[in-house]
Amino acid sequence: MPEIRKKLPPLLAGVRRSVLEIGAGTGLITTSLADWTPAEIFALEPSAGMRAVLLSRLSSRPELLKRVTVLPCDALSVDLDEPAEAVVMINVMYALEPDYRQRLWPVLAAQLAPAGLLVFTWRAGGPPPPHPLQEMASRQVGRHTYTVLSEIVESDDEACRARYLYRITEGAKVISEEEITGYAYRPGWDVLQRELAGAGFTQAEGAERLLTRLQDL
Ligand SMILES: C[S@@+](CC[C@H](N)C(=O)[O-])C[C@H]1O[C@@H](n2cnc3c(N)ncnc32)[C@H](O)[C@@H]1O
């Protein structure tokens, strides 16, 4: 996140009118986009749970409520009234199935004004190899400890299947445990380049270095 905060503002320096954010999540980037640019922000987020936090974050910043519109749809369904100057997609690529991703680029291209900017983060190096369940992060909240554990069950060239355990404990006692299994995708840069070129995108000067730097999100 600190890397994003450093690298994204200069890229968006010329943006004045509108930004489309794909997969806004809880709005961590959304409010920053609004701080960095004078533009109107369209924050697209398909998950109702994420949108609830996003809207709550926005209501704690009343001055932003006139400038940020939350779009409750998935990325393929986006249809803005006017083209955006920039599309920003931070930490979302892993969630997009290859077929979906390929269909997404032309949709985003159609939402962009001529010479508009598409900025995304992406992790190089392909999917991680399988590993057993291990702790990723742990936070104390009052008397409870929230822990996220993950396991990579299997992986191939582009995809891996991951199992996540969300555990809440009080001392040695487990209060709740929720398990989620899903796929994550890490396409190679050559694959992305081909797809993007096919949708009419050209790489901006300096962007490759930026993308490489941003991969450590
Ligand atoms: C890890 S979060 C990142 C949120 C935010 N961009 C950030 O960096 O804080 C990934 C987000 O992508 C969203 N997402 C997943 N699939 C999507 C899709 N097909 N279209 C739009 N958003 C999607 C998820 O709902 C989730 O909010």
Side-chain angles (χ1 to χ4, degrees):
M1 204 55 102
E3 197 66 10
I4 296 277
R5 295 194 185 290
K6 214 163 63 196
K7 297 293 169 196
L8 210 44
L11 270 183
L12 299 174
V15 171
R16 291 274 166 277
R17 204 171 27 76
S18 62
V19 176
L20 167 62
E21 186 189 7
I22 300 292
T26 63
L28 279 172
I29 300 289
T30 317
T31 48
S32 299
L33 290 173
D35 291 334
W36 297 329
T37 74
E40 187 173 1
I41 314 287
F42 295 90
L44 179 148
E45 176 48 56
S47 149
M50 292 286 197
R51 280 201 310 276
V53 184
L54 167 60
L55 285 162
S56 155
R57 191 188 300 278
L58 290 176
S59 57
S60 72
R61 298 276 310 268
E63 78 282 9
L64 298 185
L65 291 174
K66 281 212 177 92
R67 201 149 60 89
V68 181
T69 301
V70 175
L71 304 176
C73 60
D74 86 291
L76 275 188
S77 323
V78 62
D79 187 15
L80 299 177
D81 291 338
E82 308 101 29
E85 281 172 286
V87 172
V88 174
M89 191 170 85
I90 305 299
N91 204 10
V92 175
M93 188 87 79
Y94 77 91
L96 308 177
E97 285 179 22
D99 175 59
Y100 184 99
R101 192 183 66 227
Q102 280 160 46
R103 286 188 290 145
L104 178 60
W105 305 129
V107 169
L108 297 185
Q111 298 301 313
L112 269 173
L117 196 63
L118 168 66
V119 184
F120 59 84
T121 57
W122 150 92
R123 269 175 191 257
H131 68 70
L133 201 63
Q134 65 190 37
E135 186 176 315
M136 289 171 73
S138 189
R139 279 273 168 84
Q140 191 78 28
V141 182
R143 297 186 176 199
H144 296 166
T145 306
Y146 289 69
T147 307
V148 184
L149 304 102
S150 84
E151 171 188 357
I152 303 296
V153 182
E154 56 186 345
S155 57
D156 62 23
D157 297 351
E158 188 172 323
C160 66
R161 189 157 68 89
R163 186 167 77 97
Y164 294 94
L165 273 188
Y166 296 88
R167 186 180 285 159
I168 307 173
T169 50
E170 183 167 345
K173 188 172 148 215
V174 175
I175 293 168
S176 93
E177 197 166 71
E178 225 181 296
E179 180 176 325
I180 294 175
T181 299
Y183 284 88
Y185 304 92
R186 295 232 191 126
W189 182 236
D190 53 333
V191 173
L192 284 181
Q193 261 182 327
R194 238 187 349 261
E195 292 175 5
L196 288 162
F201 287 100
T202 51
Q203 198 172 331
E205 212 159 291
E208 187 177 8
R209 200 168 129 248
L210 182 98
L211 287 169
T212 337
R213 307 271 305 264
L214 285 187
Q215 78 200 0
D216 303 320
L217 229 195

